[in-house]
Structures are given as C-alpha cells and as structure tokens.
Amino acid sequence: VIAPCAPPEQLRSSQGTTSAFLQWEYLVGKQSYLQWRLAGASTWTNVATGFNYWHNLANLTSGQAYEWRVAVS
C-alpha cells in the first residue's frame, strides 16, 4: 500500500518497441513511489524507485498501451 503523497511535476516518457523510459521532477531528499499497469487493468504494479527520479520499464508487450503514476514524499 502506498501512502498518500503529492504527485511530482514535469512527467515525461519516451517509448521503445518493448520498453518505456519514465522521468519526473527531481525533489531533493524525497523518495519516489512508481506504479504502472496495462491500460485499463485493475491492478497496479509497484516499483521500488527509492530516491531516483526515473525508471526504465522493460519487457513490455509491443502494441499495448500502458499507464503510469508516481508520487513523492
């Protein structure tokens, strides 16, 4: 369970055939909490990003849409 946190600004993504590079605003001393899922799915996958302000999702299915969200605290 992810505690309620404020979303960062400056969300960016770039997609490859089977990957996506996700990046967001860097906030000094704040931990990031990333979740992603297949678009419209009911379950989110949690990713431990720690103090990073980016993450690379790999092994995605080509031609599928994905959603992501991130919060910092």
Side-chain angles (χ1 to χ4, degrees), residues 2 13 18-22 24 33-49 55-61 64-71:
I2 294 179
S13 66
T18 59
S19 65
F21 182 76
L22 313 175
W24 51 92
Y33 302 91
L34 173 66
Q35 294 182 313
W36 68 276
R37 68 182 180 185
L38 189 63
S42 60
T43 305
W44 291 90
T45 300
N46 296 320
V47 178
T49 56
H55 186 76
N56 189 55
L57 294 175
N59 301 314
L60 302 176
T61 301
Q64 293 289 328
Y66 292 87
E67 301 171 317
W68 65 287
R69 62 187 181 187
V70 64

Side-chain angles (χ1 to χ4, degrees), residues 20-32:
F21 182 76
L22 313 175
Q23 191 172 17
W24 51 92
E25 176 185 22
Y26 175 69
L27 299 171
V28 176
K30 302 288 186 179
Q31 287 199 13
S32 297

